[in-house]
Amino acid sequence: MNKVVANADEALHDIRDGATLMLGGFGLCGIPENSIAALVRKGIKQLTCISNNAGVDDFGLGLLLKTRQIKKMLSSYVGENAEFERQLLSGELEVELIPQGTLATRIQMAGMGIPAFFTPAGYGTEIANGKESREFNGKQYLMELALHADFSIVKAWKGDTMGNLVFRKTTRNFSTSMAKAGNITIAEVEHLVQPGELDPDQIHVPGIYVHRIFPGSNYEKRIERKTVKMS
């Protein structure tokens, strides 16, 4: 089945107000830049976004925060975004902060069809409020629920028209798990190739998980924080 669409706007055509989205990336590494720009153009509101972080003020998910399109963020690290901080403190943005390993595992469990799991992370802290806990071998654990999304949006290095994806180095981060945890998975790729051109042993996400794929363009690949001199 050919899953190729022309561009981000076509790939995201059916995302509506109030949707829950997963967006791959770590910092500014491996984020779906073209798709985020298309979401800004669409102007859809009340989004719930699941992402390790919220980009920076003028790039990544920071663009959606700037236009007030995000209602709620489920994230692990948000320290690089001043607008995020402002909206959080003013009550404009709902936020669920999740330990990074817990966030990754909740997404992974969704892709595996496992509804919940137990972890010691967060026990005895505010993270535990309202959650079931249980003792195993003399240690307390919290029950965490799997995280699903209406749409998972990821960026890969290479992909073929069948949806098979190959990520490059750190860009795999959350994306390989997110691609398996959405009702619809959309992938933008730097290089779109024909079936058979990818080494089967190098494929990180099989095409069965991917519903739409398109070749991206004009990637900036910014550095989140650059240090050129030690103070």
Side-chain angles (χ1 to χ4, degrees):
M1 181 184 298
N2 190 326
K3 304 176 181 181
V4 179
V5 296
N7 50 46
D9 294 290
E10 184 176 341
L12 278 58
H13 73 276
D14 53 350
I15 299 181
R16 302 288 182 254
D17 290 354
T20 297
L21 311 181
M22 283 186 183
L23 298 107
F26 190 91
L28 301 180
C29 179
I31 64 173
E33 298 171 35
N34 287 205
S35 296
I36 292 171
L39 289 170
V40 173
R41 288 193 297 271
K42 281 175 66 68
I44 49 179
K45 304 288 186 179
Q46 299 294 302
L47 294 171
T48 295
C49 292
I50 302 167
S51 178
N52 179 65
N53 57 284
V56 293
D57 288 308
D58 62 344
F59 197 62
L61 287 182
L63 297 174
L64 290 170
L65 286 169
K66 184 177 180 180
T67 52
R68 309 293 196 278
Q69 291 174 250
I70 300 177
K71 177 187 71 173
K72 182 176 181 179
M73 283 289 309
L74 289 82
S75 298
S76 174
Y77 175 71
V78 294
E80 301 296 334
N81 195 310
E83 177 61 17
F84 181 102
E85 179 183 7
R86 190 197 67 76
Q87 291 187 28
L88 170 63
L89 294 177
S90 67
E92 299 173 39
L93 180 69
E94 298 176 46
V95 177
E96 182 179 345
L97 291 176
I98 305 171
Q100 194 166 89
T102 301
L103 176 63
T105 307
R106 290 180 68 182
I107 296 166
Q108 182 183 22
M109 294 299 101
M112 297 171 66
I114 298 174
F117 64 98
F118 283 91
T119 174
Y123 180 80
T125 73
E126 290 184 11
I127 298 295
N129 291 345
K131 295 179 181 177
E132 177 182 340
S133 64
R134 192 175 298 182
E135 181 179 320
F136 296 94
N137 299 318
K139 189 173 183 178
Q140 293 291 331
Y141 292 76
L142 296 179
M143 187 177 77
E144 296 282 0
L145 302 178
L147 273 177
H148 299 268
D150 300 316
F151 295 86
S152 288
I153 306 173
V154 301
K155 177 205 169 190
W157 177 43
K158 290 183 179 180
D160 65 22
T161 57
M162 301 289 287
N164 297 298
L165 304 179
V166 177
F167 295 84
R168 189 169 186 270
K169 301 184 184 299
T170 311
T171 63
R172 292 172 65 177
N173 46 60
F174 286 81
S175 297
T176 52
S177 295
M178 285 184 172
K180 304 171 185 178
N183 295 334
I184 294 176
T185 294
I186 297 166
E188 58 179 81
V189 296
E190 293 187 42
H191 306 283
L192 183 63
V193 301
Q194 295 301 310
E197 293 187 47
L198 299 178
D199 181 347
D201 288 332
Q202 301 301 315
I203 290 173
H204 298 128
V205 174
I208 191 171
Y209 292 107
V210 177
H211 301 83
R212 302 167 196 163
I213 187 170
F214 68 93
S217 61
N218 302 316
Y219 289 112
E220 294 188 44
K221 299 183 181 179
R222 292 197 197 180
I223 297 173
E224 188 171 5
R225 178 179 292 185
K226 183 186 293 184
T227 301
V228 296
K229 184 175 67 173
M230 297 300 292
S231 58

